């Protein structure tokens, strides 16, 4: 996921947690998953974990994924940005369905060092799979293997997407490159280190929030602190923006939208106490739980900031980088996903999931077509929990067959396959 605070999602809501070993065994009993595929899932994940690559630099990762898919007899098409690929899996010869289903995994790593004692830890300085994208990629390769063994009843498109971690997200490039042309529905899942293995969070409606980046550069003539009236007091303007911009925005948008502005960096001046600097910067984010507010904010935030600066005779240059929209899960897709999870793990495998304040570029797909974004439990239930985007992030590899099986099962379900019981996707 694009933001380290994405791990604030609700992670359960059940009275009792699934038995990890039982859930693992249930996945291994899924048609097509055997000891060999279980071992391959671990092998793929560990290779990718050891060799992480940053956004738009995933060349070796793309080559590795292509090699595995071509080994299964599939053809691949690389994206025009140079990394990532799509792979179309043909339907079985006797298939009658023609609704194209897409399965998506993100392949990029985070720009941070890993701090684990794993023997397969990252060997690339400044890059690590501390958000679980190595597992996502391995699980989609597992689904590809299942689809090769038992051709699906409809065509399936595998999307191995680059640059999820870089705003506004590689999904924008993939959509522009035709990744979802002709696609009826799409699914993705994300590792949830606060959810136990065997618990898959399913939610209909918005499940993530939007995210935009604000970069503000303030300039004035500068001067002596004894005579602030003779210049634009840049420090005072900067502080007023940092504390007051959110108050202005609160009066310009719907207070029910769950919108929050937060500053992450403020820079101005040197060490002198009696100098008003001539330049300063603020960098922060604006997030919203509302898709409509996300679309409204670019017209609200920059003038609010410039207006505050103008009060103090300071010029503000505001660079508002519109980020991802909220991921809004389609109701019908949520029911299909709940059925897929039930088919793999039983009804107890379907967990609840609340909307997160973090962003995810899967939202660019759900802007265009119906989709579902799931939260896959990867915590072993015993060890200390480690957050996404944490240098010591860990996951339980017993979750890998579960993800592969859920991907595969979702691709095989007809639109009307969700049973009445699937309405527990909330």
């Amino acid at each position: 996921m694009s933001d380290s605070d994405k791990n604030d999602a609700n992670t359960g809501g059940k009275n009792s947690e699934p038995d990890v070993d039982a859930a693992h065994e249930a996945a291994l009993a899924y048609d097509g998953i055997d000891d060999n595929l279980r071992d391959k899932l671990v092998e793929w994940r560990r290779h990718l974990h050891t060799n992480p690559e940053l956004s738009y630099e995933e060349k070796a990762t793309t080559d590795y994924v292509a090699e595995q898919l071509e080994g299964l007899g599939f053809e691949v098409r690389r994206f025009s940005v140079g990394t990532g690929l799509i792979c179309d899996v043909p339907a079985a010869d006797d298939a009658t369905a023609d609704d194209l289903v897409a399965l998506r995994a993100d392949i990029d790593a985070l720009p941070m060092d890993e701090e684990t004692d794993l023997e397969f830890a990252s060997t690339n300085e400044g890059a690590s799979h501390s958000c679980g994208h190595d597992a996502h990629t391995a699980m989609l390769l597992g689904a590809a293997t299942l689809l090769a063994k038992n051709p699906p009843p409809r065509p399936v498109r595998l999307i191995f997407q680059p640059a999820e971690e870089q705003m506004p997200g590689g999904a924008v490039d993939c959509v522009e490159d035709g990744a979802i042309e002709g696609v009826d529905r799409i699914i993705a899942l994300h590792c949830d280190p606060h959810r136990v293995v065997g618990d898959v969070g399913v939610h209909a409606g918005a499940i993530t929030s939007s995210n935009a980046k604000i970069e503000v550069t303030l300039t004035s003539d500068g001067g002596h602190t004894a005579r602030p009236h003779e210049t634009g007091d840049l420090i005072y303007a900067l502080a007023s923006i940092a504390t007051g911009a959110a108050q202005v925005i609160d009066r310009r948008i719907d207070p029910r939208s769950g919108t929050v502005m937060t500053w992450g960096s403020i820079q101005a001046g040197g060490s002198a106490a009696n100098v008003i600097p001539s330049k300063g910067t603020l960098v922060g984010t604006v997030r919203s739980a509302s898709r409509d507010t996300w679309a409204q904010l670019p017209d609200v935030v920059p003038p609010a900031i410039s207006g505050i600066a103008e009060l103090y005779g300071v010029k503000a240059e505001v660079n508002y980088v519109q980020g991802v929209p909220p991921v809004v899960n389609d109701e019908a897709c949520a029911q299909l996903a709940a059925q897929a999870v039930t088919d793999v793990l039983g009804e107890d495998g379907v967990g609840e999931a609340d909307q997160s304040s973090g962003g995810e570029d899967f939202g660019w797909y759900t802007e265009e077509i119906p989709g579902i974004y799931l939260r896959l439990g990867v915590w072993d239930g015993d060890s200390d929990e480690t957050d996404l985007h944490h240098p010591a992030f860990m996951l339980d590899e017993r979750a890998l067959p579960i993800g592969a099986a859920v991907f595969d099962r979702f691709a095989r379900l007809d639109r009307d396959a969700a049973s009445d019981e699937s309405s527990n996707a909330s």
Side-chain angles (χ1 to χ4, degrees):
M1 300 171 116
S2 298
D3 307 298
S4 61
D5 63 348
K6 288 177 185 174
N7 50 39
D8 62 359
N10 179 277
T11 56
K14 296 182 178 181
N15 293 326
S16 61
E17 293 179 337
D19 180 277
V20 174
D21 288 328
H24 181 60
E25 291 300 321
L28 294 180
Y30 184 78
D31 186 26
I33 295 186
D34 52 21
D35 290 345
N36 181 61
L37 180 52
R38 177 194 61 190
D39 294 342
K40 290 297 290 184
L41 285 163
V42 172
E43 176 187 327
W44 292 325
R45 184 256 165 165
R46 293 188 178 188
H47 172 87
L48 295 165
H49 192 90
T50 303
N51 301 280
E53 295 177 297
L54 303 181
S55 298
Y56 295 116
E57 299 176 10
E58 314 97 328
K59 297 185 183 302
T61 300
T62 301
D63 289 344
Y64 182 77
V65 169
E67 180 183 354
Q68 310 310 311
L69 294 171
E70 290 167 349
L72 293 171
F74 297 137
E75 296 182 358
V76 304
R77 177 172 72 84
R78 296 171 190 250
F79 290 116
S80 58
V81 295
T83 59
L85 58 82
I86 62 174
C87 172
D88 284 334
V89 178
D93 292 339
D94 59 351
T96 57
D98 60 1
D99 49 327
L100 178 61
V101 176
L103 318 178
R104 173 266 203 179
D106 37 17
I107 66 173
D108 57 326
L110 284 164
M112 58 185 292
D113 289 321
E114 180 175 341
E115 297 177 10
T116 71
D117 295 324
L118 297 172
E119 60 184 28
F120 54 90
S122 170
T123 57
N124 294 342
E125 185 177 355
S128 68
H129 274 298
S130 298
C131 199
H133 294 189
D134 53 339
H136 302 168
T137 304
M139 289 184 284
L140 190 50
L141 286 173
T145 304
L146 293 171
L147 293 166
K149 286 182 179 181
N150 180 16
R154 61 180 43 79
V156 178
R157 177 166 295 169
L158 312 177
I159 302 175
F160 291 87
Q161 181 208 301
E164 189 275 333
E165 297 290 354
Q166 183 166 311
M167 193 182 300
V172 174
D173 302 297
C174 296
V175 171
E176 292 177 351
D177 220 3
I180 56 174
E181 285 183 7
V183 173
D184 181 81
R185 54 193 178 275
I186 187 170
I187 184 174
L189 50 78
H190 201 291
C191 293
D192 187 337
H194 303 290
R195 186 183 296 270
V196 74
V197 173
D199 182 0
V200 182
V202 186
H203 178 84
I207 192 167
T208 68
S209 297
S210 69
N211 181 28
K213 183 179 181 180
I214 319 167
E215 300 172 324
V216 183
T217 301
L218 301 181
T219 55
S220 75
D221 292 337
H224 199 292
T225 58
R227 292 176 289 278
H229 58 290
E230 295 182 358
T231 186
D233 192 338
L234 187 139
I235 291 292
Y236 205 91
L238 185 151
S240 296
I241 292 170
T243 59
Q247 298 175 24
V248 176
I249 293 167
D250 284 347
R251 292 299 178 270
R252 295 289 310 281
I253 61 172
D254 191 330
R256 299 168 296 179
S257 65
T259 301
V260 59
M261 172 186 285
T262 306
W263 300 105
S265 174
I266 299 177
Q267 303 288 332
S271 59
N274 61 349
V275 175
I276 297 174
S278 60
K279 184 176 181 179
T281 60
L282 301 91
V283 180
T285 61
V286 179
R287 307 171 188 274
S288 181
S290 164
R291 193 260 176 225
D292 291 341
T293 302
W294 164 78
Q296 178 187 3
L297 285 168
D299 295 327
V300 174
V301 173
I305 291 173
S306 296
I308 294 173
E310 187 177 357
L311 294 173
Y312 304 100
V314 173
K315 181 180 178 181
E317 179 182 336
V318 183
N319 181 26
Y320 189 95
V321 183
Q322 179 68 303
V324 297
V327 174
V328 181
N329 284 338
D330 176 72
E331 174 71 37
C333 287
Q335 291 185 3
L336 284 173
Q339 186 62 52
V341 173
T342 298
D343 291 346
V344 174
L345 296 171
E347 291 184 358
D348 288 344
V350 181
E352 299 173 3
D354 290 338
Q355 184 175 9
S356 163
S357 63
E360 159 64 52
D361 78 349
F362 190 71
W364 294 117
Y365 299 113
T366 58
E367 282 282 292
E368 304 292 333
I369 59 174
I372 181 69
Y373 181 82
L374 304 178
R375 295 202 178 105
L376 179 75
V378 297
W379 177 45
D380 63 12
D382 294 319
S383 62
D384 293 338
E385 299 177 37
T386 51
D387 288 341
L388 299 171
H389 291 219
H390 190 281
F393 168 73
M394 301 279 278
L395 63 84
D396 189 329
E397 292 175 332
R398 287 175 292 181
L400 300 179
I402 297 174
V406 169
F407 266 141
D408 178 78
R409 186 58 187 153
F410 183 87
R412 298 180 188 278
L413 288 174
D414 294 330
R415 289 190 189 95
D416 58 354
S419 65
D420 293 338
E421 288 77 17
S422 298
S423 61
N424 62 2
S426 57

